[in-house]
Amino acid sequence: MAINLSVDLGAGLVLKNPVLTASGTFGYGHEFSDFIDLDKLGGFIVKGTTLEPRQGNPSPRMAETPMGMINAVGLQNKGVAYFVDHIYPTLTRFDSEVIVNVSGAKLSDYVAVAEALAPLDKIHAIEVNISCPNVKAGGMAFGTTAAGAAEVTSAVRKAWNKHLMVKLSPNVTDITEIATAAEASGADSVSLINTLLAMDIDVERRRPRLSTITGGLSGPAVRPVAVRMVWQVAKRVKIPVVGLGGICSADDALQFIMAGATAVQVGTANFIDPTVTIRIIDGITDYCHRHNISDINSLRGII
Amino acid sequence: MSKCICDFRLIQSYALPSGNRIMQFIPEGDCPECFPGQFIEVKIDHAPTALLRRPISVCHYSVRDGLTLLVKPQGPATSLFTELPLGSVVNMMLPLGHGFNTDIKPGEKVLLAGGGVGIAPLVMLCDCLAEKGATVHIALGGRSANDINGIPQLFPKAERVFASTNDGSAGTEGVVTDIPIFERLADYERVYCCGPTPMMKAVARIARASEVWCEVSLENHMACGLGACLCCVENINEAEGNVCVCTEGPVFNINRLTSWQ
Ligand SMILES: Cc1cc2nc3c(=O)[nH]c(=O)nc-3n(C[C@H](O)[C@H](O)[C@H](O)COP(=O)(O)OP(=O)(O)OC[C@H]3O[C@@H](n4cnc5c(N)ncnc54)[C@H](O)[C@@H]3O)c2cc1C
Ligand SMILES: Cc1cc2nc3c(=O)[nH]c(=O)nc-3n(C[C@H](O)[C@H](O)[C@H](O)COP(=O)(O)O)c2cc1C
Ligand code: FES
């Protein structure tokens, strides 16, 4: 039986299968090319890109916690001009979709990055990160109020006429409010969740484990929270939802799809098994065979 | 050189007097070559709190003898790992990182200084440099004789092995840089060091003052080992800022590590 894994996120973003990689966990793709054929992915989302180069936060930036990790990388990247001149040319040869994750400290930064990326033919979509817990100004501040989310989304919308994905923070009282604000302001899809604001203390040394004291929790520990949020948001918005948070297997990915996600992203799991994305794609195919499903889209939102 | 994920079978494992273990593995399939100073990321199954792989230095690698690791039972994952029974199969990702520069001329005199599990990468380095015609001296630092006993045997090709212990129970009393050879460091063409950060900083300081070429190997906490997560960075100098220890290092020449003064 031929199985259709292809999904359409609208506004020109069609993926050959629903599996993307999450920003900040997959570098620029080449870090994984010894292990997998990147062209087998639905697509990959590259590192958070800002207008100016950023050094990120001091070390230590990582603490492992039960079934998860807390990071405080803080959007270290070389800036959008460097991306356009030096990194983009290495990405054009891929057949998979390449999505750029966009971050900023102020509104004009988001707009300037979107403008700089707009002429790049290979980039059919950007994912606007209004939810990073690891930068002092901007980022999550925009993502924690409906008004803030609306403001960034409308501003970027004017500068970007291809697919606009808005990445939501789970660190809010009601994520569906933020999602509806993004939808109303012109988002073509929403992705969720970014990391959960978290903290870990080394009691022997009586010090926080991260230089920034707090950071963002990811990995299997966050998955049930993420599935719940995707389910809530998918019920509220009409635009496609991209689900992520702790996905390590095909079963995990299918949970998100059944909860209403059109596509999924895999993050932290890439660190443990660099081939995990391919295992997930193969596992989804196997599942479809076992359950006599000819089109992945028929599983979406069945819960 | 391409990286791979490969299963290895544990064929020998013994404890050193310090409690650290020497563990020898053979690959279950094809395995790429590893060079001194490179590391592996091992997946430690059944450790309830270990989600991520653990970085461990290549202590020795050859086609004939397979892969040897020197592991300290530090926390839950490494404790479980060091207790694995013979025949266990473990999954490793390798080879990772940039190792030591072994481009030397025959007849060079080199010093390898190490302490704790930092001794591990020096074992293969010693063999490699000695085979290239270097005269290799080793300087070991430990808390007491237990940390030193059994270690000189890992360096059969070294011409001399010096030691220091905090309590004076073996070698010079004090830290590694209290060993008299550090007063005449310029006698050596090169110094290589891997150990606790204070040890590496002290060795780097003396090497700088004596104008001796020096490489150190960092052990920053890592998540991916592949350059993808940016969790392992070290601020190495003003121009380059934060760079990934897992891909640009773990070995750095102190000329590049100017943030270390
Ligand atoms: C490049 C490199 C080479 C290494 N080589 C060796 C070696 O040859 N032999 C050996 O015994 N150990 C080595 N280590 C240290 C080893 O990785 C840690 O001791 C181990 O990760 C501790 O895990 P745990 O769960 O047992 O301990 P825990 O203390 O419970 O670890 C908790 C967390 O801290 C991290 N962590 C703790 N200590 C270190 C450390 N020193 N470096 C990196 N991450 C750490 C772990 O990854 C984990 O996320 C090396 C580390 C690096 C970065
Ligand atoms: C080390 C690290 C770096 C990250 N960097 C970014 C980033 O730059 N931009 C972003 O939107 N999300 C970033 N994230 C969040 C992930 O993309 C993802 O939302 C989160 O990790 C949850 O998914 P997971 O549990 O599958 O990892 C980062 C996560 C990690 C672990
Ligand atoms: S450990 Fe992930 S970049 Fe170095």
Side-chain angles (χ1 to χ4, degrees):
Chain A
M1 179 176 66
I3 294 165
N4 175 47
L5 289 187
S6 163
V7 296
D8 187 349
L9 288 159
L13 185 61
V14 179
L15 309 179
K16 65 179 93 166
N17 65 61
V19 179
L20 298 160
T21 61
S23 175
T25 66
F26 205 66
Y28 293 104
H30 66 84
E31 292 86 346
F32 290 80
S33 58
D34 279 349
F35 302 103
I36 61 170
D37 176 359
L38 296 167
D39 276 337
K40 291 208 167 122
L41 300 173
F44 50 99
I45 306 185
V46 301
K47 265 180 204 150
T49 304
T50 53
L51 184 58
E52 304 292 343
R54 285 183 63 105
Q55 276 296 316
N57 293 318
S59 292
R61 294 176 164 186
M62 189 273 288
E64 198 179 14
T65 54
M67 283 296 121
M69 61 177 277
I70 310 178
N71 89 82
V73 171
L75 297 174
Q76 179 178 337
N77 78 104
K78 293 189 168 154
V80 71
Y82 185 90
F83 174 83
V84 171
D85 292 343
H86 300 283
I87 299 170
Y88 174 70
T90 68
L91 301 172
T92 49
R93 66 191 154 97
F94 293 112
D95 181 45
S96 297
E97 289 293 336
V98 179
I99 299 173
V100 181
N101 180 272
V102 174
S103 269
K106 47 188 198 295
L107 206 58
S108 57
D109 288 2
Y110 282 99
V111 174
V113 175
E115 279 169 351
L117 296 171
L120 308 181
D121 291 335
K122 169 74 193 158
I123 310 296
H124 299 146
I126 55 173
E127 181 187 52
V128 177
N129 177 9
I130 57 167
S131 49
C132 183
N134 293 325
V135 282
K136 288 206 175 64
M140 197 159 71
F142 285 114
T144 50
T145 63
E151 198 183 357
V152 194
T153 309
S154 335
V156 175
R157 181 73 284 175
K158 290 191 195 101
W160 180 260
N161 60 15
K162 296 182 262 186
H163 186 102
L164 175 58
M165 188 183 292
V166 175
K167 185 164 179 180
L168 308 181
S169 169
N171 305 307
V172 294
T173 312
D174 182 359
I175 197 166
T176 66
E177 250 181 53
I178 318 285
T180 30
E183 178 179 41
S185 311
D188 296 311
S189 63
V190 285
S191 54
L192 60 152
I193 59 176
N194 206 319
T195 53
L196 281 151
L197 198 56
M199 180 166 164
D200 199 40
I201 297 169
D202 182 339
V203 295
E204 286 300 326
R205 293 167 63 230
R206 305 186 192 184
R207 281 168 49 182
R209 281 193 208 273
L210 298 178
S211 68
T212 48
I213 305 179
T214 62
L217 179 65
S218 65
V222 310
R223 192 195 67 214
V225 177
V227 172
R228 181 267 294 175
M229 287 186 165
V230 164
W231 179 73
Q232 288 177 317
V233 168
K235 293 253 177 287
R236 278 287 291 280
V237 299
K238 294 198 178 58
I239 52 176
V241 175
V242 177
L244 73 151
I247 297 177
C248 293
S249 65
D251 272 24
D252 296 348
L254 287 161
Q255 287 203 37
F256 281 85
I257 291 170
M258 291 181 191
T262 302
V264 297
Q265 298 178 14
V266 182
T268 304
N270 290 300
F271 303 158
I272 303 146
D273 177 4
T275 68
V276 67
T277 43
I278 304 301
R279 274 204 295 113
I280 292 173
I281 296 164
D282 292 346
I284 293 175
T285 309
D286 278 355
Y287 179 94
C288 290
H289 278 297
R290 277 194 289 120
H291 291 263
N292 236 330
I293 286 155
S294 60
D295 185 352
I296 187 71
N297 291 287
S298 66
L299 286 174
R300 182 187 322 131
I302 58 172
I303 305 293
Chain B
M1 178 180 34
S2 80
K3 301 167 189 138
C4 85
I5 300 175
C6 183
D7 282 338
F8 283 78
R9 183 176 298 276
L10 181 63
I11 57 163
Q12 208 196 112
S13 171
Y14 66 90
L16 293 164
S18 62
N20 296 349
R21 281 192 97 85
I22 298 282
M23 305 172 77
Q24 190 187 350
F25 296 87
I26 46 165
E28 295 274 82
D30 287 342
C31 166
E33 205 178 342
C34 302
F35 296 96
Q38 289 191 301
F39 65 100
I40 60 131
E41 282 270 7
V42 61
K43 193 162 172 311
I44 303 177
D45 290 327
H46 314 300
T49 53
L51 172 68
L52 301 166
R53 288 174 181 261
R54 292 293 186 266
I56 304 287
S57 302
V58 173
C59 177
H60 204 273
Y61 175 84
S62 72
V63 176
R64 191 177 58 118
D65 299 323
L67 175 72
T68 304
L69 306 177
L70 191 171
V71 187
K72 175 181 180 177
Q74 167 81 37
T78 43
S79 300
L80 216 135
F81 187 66
T82 48
E83 280 156 26
L84 284 177
L86 297 186
S88 301
V89 173
V90 293
N91 186 260
M92 302 192 200
M93 189 158 82
L94 77 175
L96 304 175
H98 269 106
F100 294 107
N101 181 340
T102 57
D103 237 346
I104 58 147
K105 289 191 270 322
E108 280 191 29
K109 197 172 163 194
V110 302
L111 178 66
L112 278 49
V117 289
I119 291 164
L122 304 181
V123 171
M124 185 172 179
L125 180 65
C126 176
D127 281 6
C128 170
L129 296 176
E131 273 158 29
K132 290 187 174 185
T135 302
V136 185
H137 288 183
I138 308 288
L140 304 171
R143 278 155 311 177
S144 70
N146 266 350
D147 289 346
I148 306 297
N149 293 340
I151 303 293
Q153 289 84 324
L154 302 175
F155 296 96
K157 296 192 172 128
E159 195 198 56
R160 307 253 340 239
V161 180
F162 303 91
S164 72
T165 51
N166 300 138
D167 65 2
S169 54
T172 307
E173 181 174 338
V175 295
V176 90
T177 46
D178 291 327
I179 301 175
I181 49 169
F182 279 90
E183 285 163 24
R184 304 181 311 273
L185 200 64
D187 287 357
Y188 296 95
E189 259 104 6
R190 294 163 198 266
V191 181
Y192 299 88
C193 183
C194 184
T197 307
M199 173 193 281
M200 291 195 285
K201 286 196 168 164
V203 169
R205 210 175 304 122
I206 298 172
R208 222 174 243 134
S210 325
E211 294 179 6
V212 178
W213 182 101
C214 177
E215 280 185 342
V216 297
S217 181
L218 308 192
E219 286 200 354
N220 294 21
H221 286 204
M222 295 179 177
C224 71
L226 297 171
C229 72
L230 304 186
C231 285
C232 65
V233 298
E234 178 82 13
N235 191 318
I236 59 165
N237 60 52
E238 217 161 283
E240 294 181 272
N242 287 329
V243 308
C244 284
V245 169
C246 70
T247 49
E248 299 271 314
V251 175
F252 290 94
N253 191 295
I254 59 166
N255 286 337
R256 198 174 165 208
L257 208 57
T258 52
S259 61
W260 273 27
Q261 289 297 346

